Amino acid sequence: MPTLKQAKNKSRHIVEELEDDFHALQKKISKGRDSYVSSHQKEFDAAKKKLKSLQGKLSKAKSSAAKAAVKAKKSSSKTAHDQVKKARAASLLLGESLGEARKIMVTAQDKLHAAKPFDRKLAARAKVLAQFEKDWDKKLKAEAAARAKQAAARKKRKKTPTPAKKANS
């Protein structure tokens, strides 16, 4: 047995349904827009922080490799040479990590730069839609006031007797 809501939905015109869908979608866009650029900014900041951290680690690894190399030259022992190999391997790994972090940061930066114009577009669209809704409400109120004024004028005309009716009385 169909419920009242189903019957009501069946009686609604497709345009009304689309209007509701449009407003729901506009709400989602407005809510999403609030966090859109900030999420990209956070991603970029995190990538930048990671890059700086890796750069610091790489510089420390390079200096320790240089110290180990100097020490190995002086002592010329097998352990010192192994220490140099380990330090160089660590600095190579950190160099690769740094390269990957740079790529991640560049990607995040590109997304952030792409997000800003899109955010401006969404803001402009929301502003235009808000102005349209405001103008539309004004228009509807003006039309309702005009109808009320016309109805009052018609009512007034009906109440006042015409000269022909006065003569018959």
Side-chain angles (χ1 to χ4, degrees):
M1 181 169 199
T3 64
L4 181 61
K5 188 174 182 178
Q6 289 172 337
K8 193 175 184 181
N9 284 343
K10 285 183 181 178
S11 67
R12 289 184 65 198
H13 193 274
I14 186 79
V15 173
E16 293 171 330
E17 291 176 20
L18 288 172
E19 177 74 12
D20 291 344
D21 291 346
F22 173 77
H23 285 293
L25 189 60
Q26 186 62 30
K27 273 185 190 175
K28 284 182 183 179
I29 288 172
S30 296
K31 286 180 183 177
R33 184 185 154 257
D34 295 340
S35 64
Y36 185 67
V37 172
S38 62
S39 67
H40 286 296
Q41 184 67 46
K42 286 177 186 174
E43 186 180 314
F44 173 72
D45 291 341
K48 193 174 184 180
K49 187 176 179 181
K50 175 126 176 136
L51 183 69
K52 285 189 181 217
S53 165
L54 285 173
Q55 284 175 335
K57 287 180 182 179
L58 181 62
S59 66
K60 286 179 185 177
K62 282 184 178 181
S63 66
S64 71
K67 287 177 185 175
V70 169
K71 196 174 186 181
K73 279 185 181 178
K74 288 182 182 176
S75 69
S76 69
S77 70
K78 172 91 172 128
T79 349
H81 285 289
D82 289 344
Q83 202 73 4
V84 170
K85 285 181 183 177
K86 285 181 186 177
R88 284 186 181 154
S91 64
L92 281 175
L93 283 173
L94 282 171
E96 289 174 6
S97 297
L98 188 64
E100 289 175 17
R102 276 192 183 123
K103 287 179 185 175
I104 291 170
M105 190 183 89
V106 166
T107 303
Q109 191 174 23
D110 289 345
K111 285 181 182 178
L112 179 62
H113 287 311
K116 287 180 180 178
F118 188 64
D119 181 58
R120 285 194 301 269
K121 179 180 177 182
L122 291 177
R125 181 182 291 158
K127 187 177 178 180
V128 167
L129 182 63
Q131 186 62 43
F132 172 78
E133 292 289 341
K134 189 176 174 183
D135 291 346
W136 186 256
D137 287 341
K138 281 182 184 177
K139 182 179 177 184
L140 290 178
K141 286 177 184 177
E143 287 175 358
R147 279 195 299 271
K149 191 176 181 181
Q150 288 173 350
R154 270 185 262 141
K155 204 174 196 183
K156 189 176 181 183
R157 274 185 267 147
K158 283 184 180 181
K159 283 185 180 180
T160 57
T162 59
K165 287 185 181 178
K166 283 184 183 178
N168 290 339
S169 305

